Amino acid sequence: MDAKNRFETRTTFALSRLEWLGFLAVSLVLAFQHRTDIRWGVFVLLFAVIDVIGYLPGAIAYRRSPDRRVARGYYVAYNTMHSLVTAGVIAGAWALFVRPEWALLALPVHLMGDRALFGNSLKPFGVAFEPATDPHYAEFEKRRRTVFPGHPSGPESGTDPVEGTHAVRA
């Protein structure tokens, strides 16, 4: 994936998820090591608020919508609450105005869990709010598999350079 070709192969997407899994593991190890220091009510609140504000309203609207379309505001809410920048701002504000504490690990545990375990990241406008293969992308993927004749990894070589290529879906 690069700035001009914003799609990932199965391998590059798996590598990204592996990085997120590493960060999730570090967060979980820290939470386990400091389990007696964590205010678990605060942990649960911080963990839940991400989805209560960012996911549930859009998910409900999506399921209620006859054409499965939802307003852009639901995407903005999701992306805002599932952003590492927002998590950093929340953690910084909490540390400044409440106190620094281990319960703040709920933020990376939630976000890295979403990314590593479920493959969810930010939701782009124009795709379904819930994960579904966009028909335009499926067609692109199908066309993309047909490599120019004579290409070193073309169909006659028996290899497919974009095998399993798919968009990052939220």
Side-chain angles (χ1 to χ4, degrees):
M1 179 167 82
D2 59 39
K4 300 289 183 183
N5 302 286
R6 295 180 304 245
F7 61 90
E8 298 187 62
T9 64
R10 286 183 183 178
T11 302
T12 57
F13 188 59
L15 291 171
S16 292
R17 288 180 74 178
L18 188 60
E19 287 182 350
W20 299 327
L21 184 62
F23 192 16
L24 173 63
V26 168
S27 300
L28 289 171
V29 166
L30 286 170
F32 179 78
Q33 289 176 333
H34 296 279
R35 66 190 176 280
T36 59
D37 301 321
I38 291 176
R39 290 193 302 156
W40 287 101
V42 173
F43 185 98
V44 169
L45 173 74
L46 290 170
F47 188 92
V49 74
I50 294 170
D51 281 343
V52 168
I53 294 172
Y55 171 69
L56 290 177
I60 292 168
Y62 178 82
R63 283 167 181 76
R64 288 185 174 172
S65 172
D67 63 356
R68 299 295 195 214
R69 292 174 163 233
V70 298
R72 290 183 136 214
Y74 293 113
Y75 289 84
V76 172
Y78 182 93
N79 291 341
T80 299
M81 293 307 296
H82 287 81
S83 166
L84 294 171
V85 172
T86 301
V89 169
I90 291 170
W94 190 279
L96 185 63
F97 297 113
V98 179
R99 68 180 196 196
E101 60 180 301
W102 291 107
L104 292 168
L105 286 169
L107 300 169
V109 166
H110 183 123
L111 297 178
M112 293 302 103
D114 276 357
R115 286 165 169 78
L117 303 176
F118 304 114
N120 295 334
S121 57
L122 303 179
K123 293 187 181 294
F125 298 131
V127 298
F129 190 82
E130 292 291 358
T133 302
D134 183 279
H136 294 100
Y137 189 81
E139 179 60 30
F140 164 78
E141 187 177 33
K142 183 179 171 184
R143 283 192 326 259
R144 181 70 173 102
R145 289 179 189 268
T146 308
V147 185
F148 295 110
H151 188 278
S153 57
E156 62 277 354
S157 73
T159 63
D160 184 353
V162 291
E163 184 252 320
T165 304
H166 63 283
V168 177
R169 295 179 200 92

